Amino acid sequence: ALTACLEFRRVLFRSIDQEREVWRTRQSSAGEQIEQLGERRADADAELAAAVAVPKEIAARRVALLDQISAAETARNEAADALAKTEAALGVCEKEARDASQALSTAREDRVRIEARVAPHAQSIAALTRRSAEAPNPTPPEPYGLDRNSDG
């Protein structure tokens, strides 16, 4: 019975040792898990801090974008005004160019008409000039039949 009691005690001590080892392993695992949870908490805190800053960054970007949009709209309006003025000036210039072209065309037509009317007279003047140069004592004719010797 003593050997049975000793054997029982050995089994009991072995069982207690195994149980202690299980609890030490669990304690070690719990410590590692607590460390991991601490690291995860630190990471989560960092993510939370970053997430808390996002709305402020978005608001700042929004304000900057609204300022840029306003500046772009102002520049676009100024450009549209300048374009309208330039197009109006272009219209005036085109009208003046058409008017000048029409005036030039009219002047050319008038010149051709005048040259056509003057050409026969120029030929007559040239013929008279030739004849008077060929005459022995050229005297100019009296205008409209007036006689220098008459009184009156």
Side-chain angles (χ1 to χ4, degrees):
L2 192 56
T3 53
C5 191
L6 282 173
E7 186 60 31
F8 175 73
R9 282 181 124 195
R10 269 190 229 138
V11 170
L12 184 63
F13 284 140
R14 255 191 252 136
S15 174
I16 290 173
D17 286 341
Q18 286 175 348
E19 189 74 24
R20 271 190 195 158
E21 191 58 38
V22 167
W23 281 105
R24 282 187 193 132
T25 304
R26 286 184 77 183
Q27 183 182 13
S28 173
S29 293
E32 290 173 6
Q33 194 171 15
I34 289 172
E35 266 184 54
Q36 289 175 354
L37 288 174
E39 290 172 3
R40 287 176 55 190
R41 181 170 186 166
D43 291 344
D45 288 343
E47 286 180 26
L48 179 62
V52 166
V54 168
K56 292 177 185 175
E57 291 174 11
I58 290 172
R61 282 191 218 157
R62 181 177 181 270
V63 168
L65 288 173
L66 289 174
D67 289 344
Q68 289 176 353
I69 289 170
S70 177
E73 286 176 350
T74 301
R76 188 198 64 79
N77 289 339
E78 290 173 358
D81 292 345
L83 177 63
K85 287 178 184 176
T86 303
E87 285 176 343
L90 176 63
V92 169
C93 289
E94 287 175 342
K95 183 183 181 311
E96 289 175 356
R98 281 191 306 272
D99 292 347
S101 178
Q102 182 64 38
L104 178 63
S105 177
T106 302
R108 285 180 180 156
E109 290 171 3
D110 290 347
R111 188 181 98 211
V112 167
R113 256 187 262 121
I114 290 171
E115 285 176 352
R117 287 174 55 197
V118 168
H121 298 293
Q123 291 172 356
S124 298
I125 291 172
L128 287 174
T129 304
R130 259 193 325 271
R131 272 193 250 151
S132 66
E134 293 172 356
N137 189 3
T139 59
E142 292 298 324
Y144 303 107
L146 294 177
D147 188 7
R148 288 185 182 187
N149 294 334
S150 68
D151 293 331

